[in-house]
Short mmCIF file of all heavy atoms in Angstrom, two decimals:
data_model
loop_
_atom_site.label_atom_id
_atom_site.label_comp_id
_atom_site.label_asym_id
_atom_site.label_seq_id
_atom_site.Cartn_x
_atom_site.Cartn_y
_atom_site.Cartn_z
N THR A 231 -7.91 78.75 -32.11
CA THR A 231 -8.78 77.69 -32.62
C THR A 231 -9.43 76.96 -31.46
O THR A 231 -10.63 76.71 -31.45
CB THR A 231 -7.96 76.69 -33.46
OG1 THR A 231 -7.19 77.41 -34.40
CG2 THR A 231 -8.84 75.70 -34.17
N MET A 232 -8.59 76.64 -30.46
CA MET A 232 -9.11 75.90 -29.31
C MET A 232 -10.11 76.75 -28.53
O MET A 232 -11.16 76.29 -28.11
CB MET A 232 -7.96 75.47 -28.40
CG MET A 232 -7.26 74.26 -28.98
SD MET A 232 -5.72 73.83 -28.21
CE MET A 232 -5.98 73.94 -26.52
N LEU A 233 -9.75 78.05 -28.40
CA LEU A 233 -10.60 78.96 -27.65
C LEU A 233 -11.97 79.08 -28.30
O LEU A 233 -13.01 79.02 -27.65
CB LEU A 233 -9.91 80.34 -27.61
CG LEU A 233 -10.52 81.38 -26.71
CD1 LEU A 233 -10.26 81.01 -25.25
CD2 LEU A 233 -9.89 82.74 -27.00
N MET A 234 -11.93 79.20 -29.68
CA MET A 234 -13.18 79.34 -30.40
C MET A 234 -14.02 78.06 -30.29
O MET A 234 -15.22 78.12 -30.10
CB MET A 234 -12.90 79.63 -31.86
CG MET A 234 -14.12 80.22 -32.54
SD MET A 234 -13.88 80.37 -34.27
CE MET A 234 -14.16 78.73 -34.82
N PHE A 235 -13.32 76.93 -30.36
CA PHE A 235 -14.03 75.65 -30.27
C PHE A 235 -14.76 75.54 -28.94
O PHE A 235 -15.94 75.24 -28.88
CB PHE A 235 -13.02 74.51 -30.44
CG PHE A 235 -13.60 73.16 -30.16
CD1 PHE A 235 -14.44 72.56 -31.09
CD2 PHE A 235 -13.35 72.51 -28.96
CE1 PHE A 235 -15.00 71.32 -30.84
CE2 PHE A 235 -13.91 71.27 -28.69
CZ PHE A 235 -14.74 70.67 -29.64
N PHE A 236 -14.01 75.86 -27.85
CA PHE A 236 -14.61 75.76 -26.52
C PHE A 236 -15.72 76.79 -26.32
O PHE A 236 -16.76 76.50 -25.74
CB PHE A 236 -13.55 75.90 -25.42
CG PHE A 236 -12.71 74.66 -25.29
CD1 PHE A 236 -11.35 74.69 -25.53
CD2 PHE A 236 -13.30 73.44 -24.96
CE1 PHE A 236 -10.58 73.53 -25.43
CE2 PHE A 236 -12.53 72.28 -24.86
CZ PHE A 236 -11.18 72.33 -25.09
N SER A 237 -15.50 78.01 -26.89
CA SER A 237 -16.51 79.05 -26.76
C SER A 237 -17.79 78.61 -27.44
O SER A 237 -18.87 78.71 -26.87
CB SER A 237 -16.03 80.34 -27.42
OG SER A 237 -14.88 80.77 -26.79
N LEU A 238 -17.63 78.11 -28.68
CA LEU A 238 -18.81 77.64 -29.43
C LEU A 238 -19.52 76.53 -28.69
O LEU A 238 -20.73 76.50 -28.54
CB LEU A 238 -18.39 77.13 -30.81
CG LEU A 238 -18.28 78.17 -31.92
CD1 LEU A 238 -17.76 77.52 -33.17
CD2 LEU A 238 -19.64 78.80 -32.18
N PHE A 239 -18.71 75.59 -28.14
CA PHE A 239 -19.27 74.44 -27.45
C PHE A 239 -20.07 74.87 -26.21
O PHE A 239 -21.23 74.50 -26.06
CB PHE A 239 -18.11 73.51 -27.04
CG PHE A 239 -18.58 72.29 -26.28
CD1 PHE A 239 -19.22 71.25 -26.94
CD2 PHE A 239 -18.39 72.21 -24.90
CE1 PHE A 239 -19.64 70.14 -26.25
CE2 PHE A 239 -18.82 71.10 -24.20
CZ PHE A 239 -19.44 70.07 -24.88
N PHE A 240 -19.43 75.75 -25.39
CA PHE A 240 -20.10 76.14 -24.15
C PHE A 240 -21.29 77.05 -24.43
O PHE A 240 -22.31 76.97 -23.76
CB PHE A 240 -19.11 76.80 -23.19
CG PHE A 240 -18.18 75.78 -22.58
CD1 PHE A 240 -16.83 75.82 -22.81
CD2 PHE A 240 -18.70 74.73 -21.81
CE1 PHE A 240 -15.98 74.86 -22.28
CE2 PHE A 240 -17.85 73.77 -21.28
CZ PHE A 240 -16.49 73.84 -21.50
N ASN A 241 -21.15 77.92 -25.48
CA ASN A 241 -22.29 78.79 -25.82
C ASN A 241 -23.47 77.95 -26.29
O ASN A 241 -24.61 78.23 -25.96
CB ASN A 241 -21.89 79.77 -26.91
CG ASN A 241 -21.14 80.95 -26.32
OD1 ASN A 241 -21.31 81.26 -25.13
ND2 ASN A 241 -20.31 81.58 -27.12
N HIS A 242 -23.14 76.92 -27.06
CA HIS A 242 -24.19 76.04 -27.56
C HIS A 242 -24.93 75.38 -26.40
O HIS A 242 -26.16 75.30 -26.37
CB HIS A 242 -23.57 75.00 -28.48
CG HIS A 242 -24.59 74.19 -29.20
ND1 HIS A 242 -25.35 74.72 -30.24
CD2 HIS A 242 -24.99 72.91 -29.05
CE1 HIS A 242 -26.17 73.79 -30.67
NE2 HIS A 242 -25.98 72.70 -29.98
N GLN A 243 -24.11 74.96 -25.41
CA GLN A 243 -24.70 74.33 -24.21
C GLN A 243 -25.61 75.32 -23.49
O GLN A 243 -26.71 74.98 -23.08
CB GLN A 243 -23.56 73.91 -23.25
CG GLN A 243 -22.63 72.89 -23.85
CD GLN A 243 -23.02 71.48 -23.49
OE1 GLN A 243 -23.32 71.23 -22.35
NE2 GLN A 243 -23.06 70.61 -24.45
N GLU A 244 -25.14 76.60 -23.43
CA GLU A 244 -25.92 77.63 -22.75
C GLU A 244 -27.23 77.87 -23.45
O GLU A 244 -28.29 77.98 -22.83
CB GLU A 244 -25.14 78.95 -22.75
CG GLU A 244 -24.35 79.18 -21.45
CD GLU A 244 -23.60 80.49 -21.52
OE1 GLU A 244 -24.27 81.54 -21.71
OE2 GLU A 244 -22.37 80.48 -21.40
N VAL A 245 -27.13 77.95 -24.81
CA VAL A 245 -28.34 78.20 -25.62
C VAL A 245 -29.34 77.07 -25.40
O VAL A 245 -30.53 77.30 -25.18
CB VAL A 245 -27.98 78.32 -27.12
CG1 VAL A 245 -29.23 78.33 -27.98
CG2 VAL A 245 -27.17 79.57 -27.36
N GLU A 246 -28.79 75.86 -25.43
CA GLU A 246 -29.67 74.69 -25.24
C GLU A 246 -30.33 74.74 -23.88
O GLU A 246 -31.51 74.46 -23.72
CB GLU A 246 -28.86 73.41 -25.40
CG GLU A 246 -28.74 73.02 -26.86
CD GLU A 246 -28.19 71.63 -27.04
OE1 GLU A 246 -27.69 71.06 -26.05
OE2 GLU A 246 -28.26 71.13 -28.17
N ALA A 247 -29.53 75.17 -22.85
CA ALA A 247 -30.05 75.22 -21.48
C ALA A 247 -31.13 76.30 -21.36
O ALA A 247 -32.13 76.12 -20.70
CB ALA A 247 -28.92 75.50 -20.51
N SER A 248 -30.88 77.46 -22.07
CA SER A 248 -31.85 78.55 -21.96
C SER A 248 -33.12 78.28 -22.76
O SER A 248 -34.17 78.86 -22.50
CB SER A 248 -31.24 79.87 -22.44
OG SER A 248 -30.95 79.77 -23.82
N GLY A 249 -32.98 77.40 -23.78
CA GLY A 249 -34.15 76.97 -24.54
C GLY A 249 -34.54 77.94 -25.64
O GLY A 249 -35.55 77.78 -26.29
N THR A 250 -33.72 79.04 -25.88
CA THR A 250 -34.08 80.00 -26.94
C THR A 250 -33.68 79.48 -28.31
O THR A 250 -34.34 79.79 -29.31
CB THR A 250 -33.35 81.35 -26.72
OG1 THR A 250 -31.94 81.08 -26.74
CG2 THR A 250 -33.75 81.97 -25.39
N GLY A 251 -32.56 78.73 -28.37
CA GLY A 251 -32.08 78.17 -29.65
C GLY A 251 -31.41 79.21 -30.52
O GLY A 251 -31.06 78.95 -31.65
N ASP A 252 -31.22 80.46 -30.01
CA ASP A 252 -30.63 81.52 -30.82
C ASP A 252 -29.13 81.66 -30.52
O ASP A 252 -28.71 82.52 -29.75
CB ASP A 252 -31.36 82.84 -30.53
CG ASP A 252 -30.92 83.93 -31.50
OD1 ASP A 252 -30.14 83.61 -32.44
OD2 ASP A 252 -31.33 85.08 -31.29
N ILE A 253 -28.33 80.81 -31.15
CA ILE A 253 -26.88 80.82 -30.89
C ILE A 253 -26.23 82.06 -31.52
O ILE A 253 -25.28 82.62 -31.00
CB ILE A 253 -26.22 79.52 -31.38
CG1 ILE A 253 -24.80 79.43 -30.79
CG2 ILE A 253 -26.18 79.42 -32.90
CD1 ILE A 253 -24.19 78.09 -30.90
N GLY A 254 -26.79 82.55 -32.62
CA GLY A 254 -26.24 83.73 -33.32
C GLY A 254 -26.25 84.95 -32.42
O GLY A 254 -25.28 85.71 -32.37
N ALA A 255 -27.34 85.13 -31.69
CA ALA A 255 -27.47 86.28 -30.80
C ALA A 255 -26.40 86.23 -29.72
O ALA A 255 -25.73 87.22 -29.42
CB ALA A 255 -28.85 86.29 -30.17
N LEU A 256 -26.22 85.03 -29.16
CA LEU A 256 -25.21 84.86 -28.10
C LEU A 256 -23.81 85.15 -28.64
O LEU A 256 -23.02 85.81 -27.99
CB LEU A 256 -25.27 83.45 -27.59
CG LEU A 256 -25.97 83.26 -26.25
CD1 LEU A 256 -26.11 81.80 -25.95
CD2 LEU A 256 -25.21 83.97 -25.13
N LYS A 257 -23.56 84.69 -29.86
CA LYS A 257 -22.24 84.86 -30.47
C LYS A 257 -21.90 86.35 -30.57
O LYS A 257 -20.86 86.81 -30.15
CB LYS A 257 -22.23 84.24 -31.87
CG LYS A 257 -21.50 82.91 -31.92
CD LYS A 257 -21.21 82.53 -33.36
CE LYS A 257 -22.29 81.63 -33.88
NZ LYS A 257 -22.13 81.34 -35.31
N SER A 258 -22.83 87.12 -31.14
CA SER A 258 -22.55 88.53 -31.36
C SER A 258 -22.42 89.29 -30.04
O SER A 258 -21.67 90.24 -29.93
CB SER A 258 -23.63 89.14 -32.24
OG SER A 258 -24.87 88.92 -31.60
#
Side-chain angles (χ1 to χ4, degrees):
T231 309
M232 282 169 44
L233 189 71
M234 198 188 79
F235 171 75
F236 284 118
S237 299
L238 274 176
F239 178 74
F240 286 117
N241 279 335
H242 189 72
Q243 298 266 314
E244 264 180 58
V245 170
E246 276 191 348
S248 65
T250 60
D252 189 6
I253 194 165
L256 257 172
K257 256 195 265 174
S258 57

